[in-house]
Amino acid sequence: MSSLGFWPPAASEGGAAGSVLCAAGDGGGAVARTWLSIRVELVSGRGEDFWPRPGRIFAAARTHTFEQFGAAIDDAFGRWDLAHLRLFTLADETPVCSFQVREEAPDGAVDSDKTKLSRLTPGEQLAYVFDMGDDWAHLCTVDEQRIDPLEQLGFVPTEPTPYWGWGNLPDQYGRRWDGDDDESPMPKPPKNPLRDLPPILPWWGPRRRG
């Protein structure tokens, strides 16, 4: 297991970061462990601190941008309304945000559309916040060891991609059902909650008498 306790392990026992392994993909070609493994934990959002913290572990190339990484985090944590700002804050307090969507970037900021993840170092921790109103805050930790995406995912993705995860993900707006307005009581569940479904699957729809 890696020094940060990530699972699945980022490298085989005794293998050094950057070592070349035979991938299990078609053709069995040799693929180097060049990708980053980044653990992302949801710390808080909408005024609530989460414990245990839901999390995902991402495979990301050093050539991916911070903007690509932020979009991948939002997708993996179930966000559907993406019309909000993203902001990374590095350990040295450097802000990383998109200059395309902000009228004024924070002092000392770098452009997330151009800045690559190669800026990150092994073991580095950084913060990611989505939606400056609800403040979905995440702790991101770069594993000490690099990984082979073919080994972890079975393919080489074009975007940062999660390959491990845990925890219950809160709804982006705290809605428990369609039409939840924070005032109406929760609808009572029917005796057969599958009765209203079309009988596409054998167990959907009204129960059939044999």
Side-chain angles (χ1 to χ4, degrees), residues 92-145:
D92 62 3
E93 299 185 359
T94 298
V96 185
C97 60
S98 175
F99 289 5
Q100 296 183 23
V101 298
R102 283 179 175 264
E103 294 182 359
E104 293 185 8
D107 292 339
V110 296
D111 191 352
S112 61
D113 291 297
K114 297 179 180 179
T115 306
K116 310 289 186 181
L117 297 182
S118 57
R119 179 170 180 145
L120 299 175
T121 58
E124 183 172 351
Q125 292 188 301
L126 57 150
Y128 170 63
V129 177
F130 171 77
D131 186 346
M132 303 304 115
D134 285 342
D135 291 327
W136 293 100
H138 313 71
L139 172 65
C140 307
T141 306
V142 183
D143 195 357
E144 296 281 357
Q145 297 177 328

Side-chain angles (χ1 to χ4, degrees), residues 40-94:
V40 179
E41 299 171 85
L42 178 59
V43 176
S44 59
R46 300 184 71 250
E48 181 179 357
D49 297 328
F50 301 109
W51 190 264
R53 295 171 184 151
R56 299 289 183 266
I57 299 180
F58 289 81
R62 290 174 293 166
T63 54
H64 286 142
T65 66
F66 277 86
E67 192 64 20
Q68 287 177 297
F69 185 37
I73 293 173
D74 294 333
D75 185 53
F77 281 84
R79 287 157 202 150
W80 50 269
D81 182 1
L82 302 178
H84 299 281
L85 298 177
R86 300 186 175 106
L87 175 66
F88 286 94
T89 304
L90 304 184
D92 62 3
E93 299 185 359
T94 298

